[in-house]
Structures are given as structure tokens and as C-alpha cells.
Amino acid sequence: MFVFKAAVVGAGTMGGEIAQVIASAGIPVVLKDVKQEFVETGLEKARQVTEAQLGGLVSKEKISQEDADRQLEEILGRIVGTTEYDGFGDVDFVVEAVPERMDIKQTVFGELDEVTPGHAILASNTSSLSITEMGEATLRPDKVCGFHFFYPASMMRLIEVIEGDETSDETLQAAANFAQAIRKTAVRCGEVPGFVVNRILNSAVSEVWRVTDEEHLDVKEVDKVIQESGTVPMGPFFLTDLLGLDTVLHVAIHLRESYGDRFYVSPRMKELVEAGNLGQKTGKGFYEHG
Ligand SMILES: NC(=O)c1ccc[n+]([C@@H]2O[C@H](COP(=O)([O-])OP(=O)(O)OC[C@H]3O[C@@H](n4cnc5c(N)ncnc54)[C@H](O)[C@@H]3O)[C@@H](O)[C@H]2O)c1
């Protein structure tokens, strides 16, 4: 199946950039959120990322400023923001990127089942929830799969294509083909907690969270030492602020429940989430954000 038009539902930390990735590959995309201000934030994110990418090409003298200006307009012109489901009647592939809560996801999947054509694939960017349960909210569970981007979606190459109990082989193949069409590398995985990447990543970062709490360390100092080691571009607490503490906490709890104590849930992170401090998106998390 060829994807002539796509849609992204949820224009938050991930959605705006996912729409940008799709539009940069030449595919028109509808970007939906519940309020116009959230749609605008997603569109602005797409603009910033595109400007940065094209600006990089200009400074390396790979394209002229004139080409960059034209491409910017073309790419952004392919993204249509909306707060309704208008524009979903002829899409071939949808990426759902709403908050990591099964009740919200199931509502969205039920709505998508109504408003999209019967052949459309409905994919979730979930970090940890069950694809099978999302499929149950539709009449086409064979066309529901996971399509898990990594932050920041415009830079990270990998996409986990996740198979629910009812997902067909055709759907998995079409999702892998779509990943390739938007210049990503697909890795196919089963519906296991943490899939592949978060299971590996969280097993390492769990130890950092654990020792920071047990030894009452300063998170900024821990970040500084880890960043200065040169093994990662930024420390884990700063990264968590960028990813969204609610999302990271949800994945940590899910892994702990699934695999036991070797995965750690940080009480410090839990307190911040309970106080509504979710990181960059709310202006405060482990750090203050301007
Ligand atoms: N943040 C990350 O680093 C990251 C990485 C990979 C995957 N994910 C996954 O992507 C999904 C989205 O995460 P996020 O960090 O972008 O969340 P977010 O909270 O930043 O954004 C979610 C957006 O969805 C919108 N929304 C809520 N209900 C909606 C509805 N019914 N219809 C349309 N929009 C709706 C919200 O208004 C918000 O703008 C989650 O499943 C998360 O696990 C997140």
C-alpha cells in the first residue's frame, strides 16, 4: 500500500515533529489536536525543525538560501492543522500521539475507525501500552499496529513497528514500508513491555535514578558528570525534562510492574508529576525552563 496522505493525532512533544518528518518526505499530513493553541504549538515545532535542517544545508553550501526558503514553504504547506477530523476522509496512514493513557487512546482509535477510510492503517506512537487493546476499540484490529518514534523524531532514525495479537502481516509490512518512505529504519517487535529500546534504555537509567535517590545526589551534578563522560549528548534528568516526566514515569511504572525490582520508579519523579511539573512542556521539571 502506498501512503498518499497521512494524519497525526496529538500535536504535543512528539506529534509536531512526526508531522514534520512525514511532510519532509513529500507526503501531505493532517495534524490534529483538541485545541487550536496546541495545534499552533505543533505547527511551530515543525517550522523550527525545518528551518534548522534547511539552515544547516545552507551553511554547508549544499543548497542556496533561495532553495531553502522555497523548500520551507513547500514542507510546511503539506501540513494542515485542525481541531476536528476534517481531512481524515482520504488518509492512508494515521499516527496517534495523544497522552499515554489507554482510555484516551481507545477513544481516539474508536473515532479514527469512524472517520478514516476502511483501508487506512491506524498506528500508535505508544511507548508501552497494548496495541491489542487499542485495536479492540476498532472494527479493524488487523490494521492497527504500533509505530514508535523516538525523541526527537526529526533526528532519530529508528521506528519500532509493533505487532498486536490481531495485526496482519500486510499491515506490518505496509508500516515498515511507510517508515522507509519517511527515511526511517523500522525494527519489528512483539507486544512486550518496553518493546526493544525502552527495555534496554530503562534498565540502564534505572540505576542512575536509584543511586541518585539512595545517595541523595544533586540531579544537576549527576547530569553534568554523565554528560562530561561524552557517552551521551545530555544527562538523563535533563533528557527526561525534554521527553515529559509523565510519559517517562508511565513507562518506568509499566516496566517495574512487568519485570520487577530491576526497574526503578523514582519517588522524586513521581512527586514532580503529581505537582504538575512535567518538564519542558509545563516550564518546570527537574529544571526550570524559560
Ligand atoms: N515524549 C517522548 O519522548 C515520547 C517518545 C516516544 C513516544 N512517545 C509517546 O507518544 C505519545 C504522545 O506523547 P507526547 O510526549 O507527545 O505527549 P504530550 O503530552 O506532549 O502531547 C500529547 C498531545 O495530545 C493532545 N491530545 C490529547 N487528547 C487528544 C485527542 N483526543 N485528540 C487529539 N489530540 C489530543 C494533547 O492536547 C497534547 O497536545 C505517548 O503515547 C507517548 O508515550 C513519547
Side-chain angles (χ1 to χ4, degrees):
M1 187 190 76
F2 192 83
V3 177
F4 291 97
K5 183 177 172 188
V8 176
V9 185
T13 308
M14 296 301 289
E17 275 196 47
I18 293 173
Q20 192 273 345
V21 169
I22 296 171
S24 295
I27 300 167
V29 55
V30 188
L31 176 62
K32 180 188 182 292
D33 207 301
V34 286
K35 283 191 186 166
Q36 189 57 31
E37 62 188 281
F38 301 147
V39 174
E40 297 298 336
T41 307
L43 293 173
E44 181 53 29
K45 187 65 169 281
R47 170 176 289 279
Q48 285 169 6
V49 168
T50 313
E51 279 176 348
Q53 286 175 345
L54 294 170
L57 293 175
V58 172
S59 59
K60 286 183 194 149
E61 298 184 354
K62 294 202 166 163
I63 58 171
S64 65
Q65 186 59 51
E66 200 180 25
D67 279 345
D69 293 343
R70 183 181 47 75
Q71 284 188 41
L72 178 71
E73 292 317 311
E74 280 174 8
I75 293 169
L76 298 180
R78 290 189 198 109
I79 310 176
V80 175
T82 180
T83 55
E84 304 295 333
Y85 281 115
D86 40 296
F88 279 65
D90 58 351
V91 297
D92 307 299
F93 198 101
V94 183
V95 181
E96 164 280 306
V98 302
E100 190 74 338
R101 274 183 37 198
M102 185 52 83
D103 55 338
I104 304 180
K105 304 244 185 222
Q106 283 194 323
T107 303
V108 168
F109 271 80
E111 291 167 356
L112 287 171
D113 199 29
E114 300 264 315
V115 298
T116 59
H119 75 271
I121 291 177
L122 309 180
S124 174
N125 189 44
T126 182
S127 308
S128 58
L129 297 174
S130 162
I131 301 302
T132 305
E133 283 179 42
M134 289 178 223
E136 283 166 5
T138 74
L139 296 174
R140 59 179 106 175
D142 57 315
K143 294 193 173 64
V144 174
C145 67
F147 201 69
H148 185 209
F149 287 81
F150 293 88
Y151 179 91
S154 59
M155 290 176 75
M156 303 301 274
R157 288 255 162 228
L158 199 69
I159 291 183
E160 290 173 331
V161 174
I162 302 134
E163 180 175 1
D165 286 353
E166 304 294 329
T167 313
S168 69
D169 275 345
E170 290 77 11
T171 296
L172 294 168
Q173 189 57 55
N177 292 351
F178 181 55
Q180 204 170 35
I182 59 173
R183 305 189 188 106
K184 300 289 183 192
T185 302
V187 54
R188 197 165 145 171
C189 42
E191 194 175 61
V192 294
F195 310 132
V196 175
V197 174
N198 275 337
R199 185 166 170 182
I200 297 169
L201 198 65
N202 274 49
S203 68
V205 86
S206 269
E207 288 310 306
V208 178
W209 292 333
R210 196 191 311 266
V211 78
T212 304
D213 285 345
E214 283 174 2
E215 304 293 328
H216 308 289
L217 303 178
D218 179 328
V219 296
K220 295 188 178 82
E221 285 298 313
V222 174
D223 269 357
K224 189 161 168 266
V225 170
I226 292 177
Q227 187 177 11
E228 282 173 3
S229 74
T231 49
V232 286
M234 67 189 81
F237 293 99
F238 191 73
L239 177 63
T240 300
D241 266 18
L242 299 186
L243 302 178
L245 268 67
D246 51 338
T247 303
V248 175
L249 180 68
H250 189 281
V251 174
I253 291 173
H254 183 59
L255 288 169
R256 166 83 168 220
E257 283 170 0
S258 307
Y259 299 118
D261 299 359
R262 63 199 164 101
F263 286 93
Y264 183 73
V265 178
S266 160
R268 242 193 268 199
M269 197 186 302
K270 221 171 166 179
E271 276 168 28
L272 285 165
V273 171
E274 279 161 9
N277 296 320
L278 308 182
Q280 190 186 41
K281 64 185 168 188
T282 57
K284 194 173 172 206
F286 290 109
Y287 292 77
E288 301 270 352
H289 299 269

